[in-house]
Every structure is written in C-alpha cells, then in structure tokens.
C-alpha cells in the first residue's frame, strides 16, 4: 500500500526549511530581487543548515540524507522565492552531483567538502548559443595537448557560474570522434580564474533576478588532464543521468511556486474586499483557488512518485519527465491565476505574486523544455520519432 506521508526525519527537515524561508528569506528577498543582487547571506545560512550537502554521505562531508530530502527543501524555499531555491538546486544537482557521481577520489576530496558546506558553488556548462535543447550539438572542443586539455568554445545561461564563491564549471566538450563518426563528448572541470576562461557580465533576465546566470567563453583555456570528469566519451551520457535527477528537483521547485501562489491567494482572498464582501466569498474566486490547489497537489504526487522510484534504484526517466512537465505547467498556470486574483497588485514587482509570475515561465524551459519532456515520455512508451 502506498504511503505518501513524510517520515519524522523528512518532516523535521521540511519544517526547518519552511521556518527559514518565512523568517529569513521572505522579509529580504524582494530587495535582492529588485537590485538583481545575489543573496550571499542567505546562501551562507543555507550552507550552515547543511542544505547543500543533503544528499551527500557523511564521510564525504554531507548530511547523509537522500535526494528526496533535497526536493523537500527546494519546495519549501520556492513557496517564498525561486531565486534562492534555484541557487540551491543548481548548486547541488548540477554543481555537486556530477562530482559526487562521477568524480575520482582525488576530485571528491578536493571539491566535495566545500560544495557540501555551501562555501563553494559549482556550475554545469552544457547549453551553448544556438544549440538550446540540442545538447548533442555541442561545439565547444577540448583537445588533449600533452598533459593538458585545451578548451575553446562558449556556453550560455549557466547558473551559479559567476558568483564570488563559484569554484569551477564542469564543461561538456567534444574531445574526439566516435567509431560511428559521431561526436565524442566528455566533461571537464574548469576552475574559476583559469586563464582563457571568461565569465561575461550577468544577464538581464525576466525572472530569477536574485540568482546568478552568465554566458561563458573558453579561448585556449588549459586545464590538467586529470580534470576529466568520469570516463572519456561518456560526458553526454553522464549529463543525461544528472538531468533525470535534476528534473525531479525542478519539479519540486515548481510545486513550491505553485503552492506559494495558493498561499498568497488564500491570504489575499480573506483580506481583500470588493463590492462589500471579502473576495474569498465569491464562488469565482473559490473555484479558481480550488483549481490552483488541485494542480499543486497533483504535481507534488508526481514528483514524490519519481523520487520514490529513484530512491528504490528503479528506472525513473519517464516519471521524472512527467513530474517536470506536470509541475512546471502547474507553476505557470497558478502564477497566471494568482496574478488575476490579485489584479493590479499582482502586476507589482514588490509582491510575491508579481515575482512568482516572472519566475514561472523559465520552469517550462530550463533543464529540458516541456516539448523535450513530452518527447522523452513518448520514447519511454516505445514511440519512435519519424
């Protein structure tokens, strides 16, 4: 019999993050968002709470938890703000997990303690200008010259890549040609400050304005040969496995945003009066909020299911894609409905609902667009592209 109730340990973690989000994040994040400034004090606090090390074994400097625990933390943070939540999500699933899953003993010893404590952020450089969802279209190259890799190329939309505490970017690059004539893609760790590695000025974004995102370029950038992460030629496969996990995390973040919209609308509906009555007394508002709660609840069940399959060691690609698709749709729909309920106030950046609306759209794009999720689900069902 299925039981979706949280264990005592999971509930304790969820509750502590909820308290942090409401007491520490909510009062200040609007100012960070308006200034488009990275919230270093909040990230430091999350590091002290052990959130960056949640799915990492204690012997590697982590909390000894599981990936589902991370998802619970992401959901609670996103109920208040998505910039802080995506900083944690990318820091763990895209920064830390590649090292944790595929790193050598030396690489783990060098990077994991700082990553798990939040003192160092890692980033993952996959997307390139002009490639988008076509990750296999990687053009960045890495040529082995003696005992060094020489990288040339560029990456776009890379989260956590230009902060003061960014330690490295793991980069996908073409390192040769496979026997079938296809690209041999590998992943290589490029430390921040390496000559030839340039971080462009931060993007001007529609949402996630308190998170860090940059374009990166590599011009004869040299790193030691031992910076190869995992097996040569397996970079693309490694990335796909990391993305499957990351989609569950993004689904959790999306559920948080969707639930945050419900939270704000419930409060507002009980305070705002129109035509002599609380707007929450009007059936039109009640039904809209009921639909919002239904979306959030359904999406939560989807990511719980995907996480459970992952924890059991089962194949979870289909469940992860479903969770990401359903949850990102719920976030976007709830943000739109919440803005409508708030009316003009929902269009103001200083309100959480205004930020939710701006933050929601990227959830249907990042870590695999909704179209990519549908493609993956169809393939998992045995349907081949024509």
């Amino acid at each position: 019999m299925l039981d979706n109730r949280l264990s005592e340990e999971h509930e304790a973690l969820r509750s502590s993050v909820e308290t942090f989000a409401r007491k520490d994040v909510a009062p200040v994040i609007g100012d960070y968002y308006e200034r488009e400034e990275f919230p270093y004090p909040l990230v430091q606090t999350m590091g002290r709470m052990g959130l960056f090390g949640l799915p990492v074994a204690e012997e590697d400097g982590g909390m000894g938890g599981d990936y589902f625990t991370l998802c619970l933390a992401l959901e609670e943070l996103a109920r208040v703000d998505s910039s802080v939540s995506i900083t944690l999500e990318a820091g763990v699933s895209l920064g830390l997990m590649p090292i944790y899953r595929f790193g050598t003993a030396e690489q783990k010893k060098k990077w994991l303690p700082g990553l798990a404590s939040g003192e160092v952020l890692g980033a993952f450089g996959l997307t390139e200008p002009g490639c988008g969802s076509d990750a296999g279209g990687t053009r960045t190259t890495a040529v082995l010259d003696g005992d060094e890799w020489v990288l040339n190329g560029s990456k776009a939309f890379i989260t956590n890549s230009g902060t003061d505490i960014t330690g490295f970017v793991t980069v996908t690059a073409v390192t040769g040609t496979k026997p079938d004539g296809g690209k041999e893609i590998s992943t290589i760790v490029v430390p921040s400050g390496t000559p030839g590695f340039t971080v462009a000025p931060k993007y001007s974004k529609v949402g996630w304005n308190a998170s860090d995102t940059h374009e990166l370029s590599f011009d004869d950038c040299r790193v030691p040969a031992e910076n190869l992460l995992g097996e040569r030629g397996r970079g693309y496969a490694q990335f796909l496995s990391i993305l499957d996990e990351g989609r569950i995390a993004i689904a959790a973040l999306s559920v948080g945003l969707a639930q945050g919209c419900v939270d704000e609308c419930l409060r507002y509906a009980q305070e705002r009066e129109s035509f002599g009555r609380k707007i929450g007394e009007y059936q039109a508002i009640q039904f809209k909020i009921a639909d919002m709660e239904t979306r959030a609840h359904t999406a939560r069940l989807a990511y719980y299911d995907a996480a459970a399959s992952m924890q059991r060691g089962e194949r979870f690609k289909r469940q992860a894609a479903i969770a990401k698709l359903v949850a990102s749709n719920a976030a976007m729909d709830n943000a739109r409905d919440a803005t409508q309920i708030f009316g003009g106030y929902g269009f103001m950046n200083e309100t959480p609902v205004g930020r939710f609306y701006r933050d929601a759209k990227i959830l249907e794009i990042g870590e695999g667009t909704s179209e990519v999720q549908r493609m993956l689900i169809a393939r998992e069902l045995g349907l081949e592209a024509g």
Side-chain angles (χ1 to χ4, degrees):
M1 182 176 180
L2 295 177
D3 187 350
N4 289 314
R5 290 174 297 180
L6 300 180
S7 67
E8 291 185 7
E9 293 80 6
H10 284 139
E11 174 56 29
L13 182 279
R14 187 210 62 77
S15 179
S16 68
V17 177
E18 178 187 27
T19 299
F20 165 70
R22 303 212 175 274
K23 290 188 176 181
D24 293 76
V25 178
V28 302
I29 196 59
D31 289 337
Y32 282 107
Y33 198 96
E34 186 173 349
R35 297 194 304 268
E36 299 185 2
E37 181 179 332
F38 190 76
Y40 288 102
L42 297 178
V43 173
Q44 291 171 350
T45 301
M46 289 194 293
R48 290 193 294 269
M49 292 173 66
L51 301 189
F52 286 93
L54 282 174
V56 178
E58 293 181 10
E59 57 265 29
D60 290 315
M63 297 292 289
D66 53 33
Y67 206 82
F68 180 60
T69 311
L70 170 66
C71 292
L72 293 175
L74 295 172
E75 179 183 344
E76 290 303 324
L77 289 171
R79 286 179 73 169
V80 171
D81 176 72
S82 291
S83 292
V84 172
S85 190
I86 193 59
T87 297
L88 175 62
E89 191 280 332
V92 179
S93 71
L94 297 179
L96 181 151
M97 294 307 290
I99 301 291
Y100 190 50
R101 298 290 191 212
F102 308 113
T104 63
E106 292 76 15
Q107 289 169 337
K108 291 180 179 180
K109 182 178 179 181
K110 179 177 182 179
W111 294 113
L112 281 183
L115 292 168
S117 68
E119 296 174 4
V120 175
L121 290 177
F124 198 100
L126 172 81
T127 304
E128 298 190 0
C131 289
S133 297
D134 182 15
T138 299
R139 297 190 184 96
T140 296
T141 61
V143 177
L144 194 59
D145 181 21
D147 59 356
E148 292 182 319
W149 290 105
V150 183
L151 287 87
N152 285 280
S154 60
K155 301 292 179 177
F157 315 128
I158 309 304
T159 304
N160 290 347
S161 58
T163 73
D164 293 344
I165 57 174
T166 299
F168 65 88
V169 177
T170 300
V171 178
T172 54
V174 179
T175 53
T177 303
K178 297 190 295 185
D180 63 3
K183 295 178 179 178
E184 176 193 86
I185 298 178
S186 305
T187 48
I188 298 171
V189 178
V190 182
S192 299
T194 301
F197 173 24
T198 302
V199 179
K202 64 182 180 181
Y203 289 104
S204 175
K205 297 176 293 186
V206 171
W208 286 358
N209 283 354
S211 72
D212 178 81
T213 320
H214 298 265
E215 183 171 347
L216 313 176
S217 63
F218 306 91
D219 184 11
D220 288 336
C221 175
R222 290 178 172 268
V223 297
E226 59 263 28
N227 282 27
L228 176 72
L229 183 62
E231 183 182 343
R232 177 170 176 170
R234 294 285 298 168
Y236 187 60
Q238 291 170 189
F239 164 76
L240 291 180
S241 69
I242 291 295
L243 256 194
D244 285 337
E245 297 179 1
R247 284 174 180 136
I248 303 176
I250 290 294
L253 190 159
S254 300
V255 169
L257 189 153
Q259 193 66 57
C261 290
V262 176
D263 298 340
E264 292 298 316
C265 287
L266 283 174
R267 176 189 59 77
Y268 190 68
Q270 294 164 357
E271 297 175 354
R272 178 83 162 102
E273 291 189 2
S274 181
F275 301 102
R277 297 168 61 187
K278 296 287 196 303
I279 65 171
E281 298 177 18
Y282 293 104
Q283 193 176 69
I285 300 297
Q286 294 175 356
F287 281 12
K288 196 176 287 290
I289 295 177
D291 286 343
M292 294 166 63
E293 174 68 11
T294 299
R295 294 185 196 115
H297 178 74
T298 303
R300 182 178 296 109
L301 293 177
Y303 97 69
Y304 275 28
D305 176 65
S309 293
M310 175 186 169
Q311 300 290 89
R312 292 192 296 264
E314 300 170 354
R315 182 177 175 84
F316 62 94
K317 182 182 290 290
R318 177 174 60 87
Q319 291 92 328
I322 290 172
K324 205 272 186 181
L325 178 62
V326 171
S328 59
N329 285 344
M332 192 68 212
D333 290 343
N334 278 16
R336 183 184 60 249
D337 283 352
T339 303
Q340 191 71 20
I341 290 173
F342 269 70
Y345 292 107
F347 202 60
M348 300 295 107
N349 282 331
E350 63 263 26
T351 66
V353 165
R355 296 196 298 274
F356 289 158
Y357 189 76
R358 295 176 64 180
D359 291 339
K361 183 58 191 174
I362 188 61
L363 297 171
E364 296 182 315
I365 299 172
E367 294 206 36
T369 64
S370 294
E371 291 76 14
V372 166
Q373 306 314 312
R374 292 184 176 96
M375 178 185 69
L376 292 172
I377 295 165
R379 286 180 179 175
E380 288 294 301
L381 293 174
L383 299 173
E384 296 297 332

